[in-house]
Amino acid sequence: MILHPVLQIIPQEKSLNGPERVKRQREYARRALGVCAQKCGAPVEGWRQTDQRVPLPNRNWHWSISHKPQWAAAVIAGQPVGIDIEHIRPRIEGLDQKIASDREWDVVEGRDLQRFFRVWTAKEATLKANGVGISGLNECHIVSVIDDLHLELDFGGRRWVVEHFLLEDHLAAVTLGGHPVEWHVETA
């Protein structure tokens, strides 16, 4: 099986207020999910979430979405899967200490902006694949750097490999589950 994560551009409308803007981002994440379903042969309908927005499997298909103001992301797989996308920008001072231990920063060999978002998106994708929110952050650990695109993590005694994809000033991450990845960028 090949994973087909979809990254969907979100046209900007400056007139939208905060809640309207988030609603629009969610709509585009759902559009990306529809494109992903078509690409991987999954059902187009029936993608539900709990009240806490945890995705529920759809006929044994697992899914995950993410969004930021400019991009939405979605992935579907035959096993638990997670995706995250983040805008690479300056971060709050000291946030690096909250998302990873000194040992983990040593593993990735630094705390620059690119590495910070690599660690953040990898952990977020892994937590999503496990149906856990940020509350599980302290139990999710970077184990190794495989190469420039792949990190290995441990969560709950299970190893997860995450692949990254750089898109302009955004970084996306998806859990692999042992499958190759074919990224799709939708700009219309």
Side-chain angles (χ1 to χ4, degrees):
M1 173 184 208
I2 296 175
L3 292 181
H4 293 278
V6 173
L7 304 175
Q8 173 75 55
I9 195 164
I10 302 174
Q12 300 302 296
E13 286 190 31
K14 299 196 185 288
S15 64
L16 297 177
N17 66 26
E20 291 171 332
R21 196 169 30 251
V22 171
K23 181 180 177 188
R24 183 171 170 86
Q25 291 169 17
R26 287 185 183 135
E27 289 170 0
Y28 273 85
R30 288 296 184 143
R31 285 184 187 189
L33 187 65
V35 171
C36 188
Q38 292 174 344
K39 292 189 179 298
C40 67
V44 176
E45 303 286 329
W47 303 102
R48 299 180 307 120
Q49 295 173 307
T50 67
D51 292 340
Q52 294 77 33
R53 297 199 182 277
V54 176
L56 296 169
N58 183 1
R59 299 184 215 158
N60 296 320
W61 291 94
H62 299 261
W63 61 286
S64 180
I65 58 176
S66 181
H67 53 79
K68 290 294 173 233
Q70 294 177 315
W71 289 96
V75 66
I76 298 171
Q79 74 281 331
V81 67
I83 195 165
D84 188 43
I85 188 164
E86 295 291 336
H87 181 204
I88 300 171
R89 67 195 186 302
R91 62 191 184 276
I92 298 169
E93 190 71 32
L95 192 56
D96 58 330
Q97 290 297 326
K98 293 184 187 224
I99 70 159
S101 67
D102 288 339
R103 186 199 61 75
E104 291 174 282
W105 290 116
D106 288 345
V107 169
V108 297
E109 299 179 348
R111 299 179 193 218
D112 62 37
L113 209 52
Q114 191 78 18
R115 287 180 180 94
F116 174 86
F117 282 102
R118 227 179 138 194
V119 168
W120 178 258
T121 56
K123 286 191 173 196
E124 184 76 18
T126 301
L127 293 171
K128 286 181 175 185
N130 285 278
V132 178
I134 287 299
S135 64
L137 191 61
N138 291 335
E139 293 138 43
C140 187
H141 304 284
I142 304 294
V143 174
S144 68
V145 174
I146 298 170
D147 58 32
D148 289 344
L149 296 177
H150 300 90
L151 292 177
E152 182 181 23
L153 295 89
D154 177 89
F155 182 78
R158 180 176 171 196
R159 295 294 170 104
W160 293 84
V161 175
V162 172
E163 181 171 302
H164 285 98
F165 183 83
L166 184 62
L167 179 68
E168 299 172 355
D169 56 353
H170 286 71
L171 186 65
V174 67
T175 58
L176 298 182
H179 301 290
V181 176
E182 185 178 320
W183 292 90
H184 302 274
V185 178
E186 302 284 321
T187 57

